[in-house]
Amino acid sequence: MAYEIYIGDRMFSSWSLRGWLMLEKFSLPHTVHMVGLYSGTMASDMAHLAPARLVPALRTPEGTVVGESLAIAETLAERHPEAGLWPSDPAHRATARWLAAEMVGGFSALRGECPMQLAHMYEGFEVSAAVKADLARIEDLFAHARAISGQAKGYLFGSYSLADVFYTPVAARIMGYGLPVSAETRSYCKLLLSDPAVLRWQEQAHEVSYDPEPYALDLPRRPWPLG
């Protein structure tokens, strides 16, 4: 039996991408249901999942509904310990959970000023002091994770984990807006966004278009650099 994952638009919904990657990257069987995030049908599309009201939402094969990304992550990790969603080393695992939790609760300037979009790269985006502060904090967390794991490059804890899932939309924001980060962080962002699963998601994202385009900026655009 498969999980059911309810997601919004692939082009813009960062939380939907996280929820889907938790299932897709760890080979957990699932069925995807699209929710009308921008068409005005979201409330009715999710009414049968109440009190869940945001994407992603998960329904287990037994029928239990789970809302909120971190709760979905912990539920899947608990149900599938063999899948390796969290790192196996206790110190690595604790650190990965810390990074995921801070992603859920933090970086409001980055999320507010740089909505995720997977269509193009903006040129000339003016980076605010608040966004720069969020980027500095993210790079501090990445550096700490690598100090704990001993991984100078590649995934934060050696093998792909939920920490990488939670920061994939951050990577999309960094690349999509040309944000100032170190060469090491940019390389990590490219690794996450070059993942075959992410590229399939991005390809499907282009199957839907909106007029007007959500979050559009009056800035020059370049083609998306990956895929």
Side-chain angles (χ1 to χ4, degrees), residues 43-200:
S44 59
D45 291 344
M46 298 190 68
H48 65 295
L49 302 172
R53 59 189 180 89
L54 301 173
V55 291
L58 181 79
R59 183 154 54 191
T60 70
E62 297 80 16
T64 301
V65 174
V66 186
E68 297 296 334
S69 296
L70 201 53
I72 293 171
E74 292 290 10
T75 298
L76 293 174
E78 180 181 58
R79 289 168 63 95
H80 301 279
E82 77 292 343
L85 280 81
W86 292 120
S88 58
D89 180 274
H92 298 183
R93 186 166 61 251
T95 307
R97 282 185 163 126
W98 172 8
L99 264 66
E102 189 154 342
M103 175 64 254
V104 170
F107 315 129
S108 59
L110 177 64
R111 289 196 275 186
E113 297 179 36
C114 306
M116 189 189 82
Q117 56 81 29
L118 301 172
H120 45 256
M121 291 180 65
Y122 282 114
E123 290 185 327
F125 179 77
E126 186 172 341
V127 185
S128 71
V131 169
K132 288 179 181 178
D134 279 352
L135 293 171
R137 176 61 180 171
I138 289 166
E139 294 207 89
D140 282 347
L141 290 172
F142 287 173
H144 177 67
R146 293 193 183 283
I148 293 294
S149 69
Q151 300 294 322
K153 59 183 180 179
Y155 299 124
L156 293 175
F157 297 94
S159 298
Y160 189 91
S161 76
L162 286 171
D164 305 297
V165 166
F166 273 82
Y167 282 86
T168 295
V170 171
R173 288 176 161 97
I174 289 171
M175 297 301 296
Y177 293 83
L179 301 180
V181 293
S182 67
E184 292 77 12
T185 294
R186 191 165 300 279
S187 177
Y188 174 55
C189 291
K190 290 180 178 179
L191 172 67
L192 295 180
L193 298 174
S194 298
D195 185 275
V198 176
L199 293 176
R200 288 198 307 274

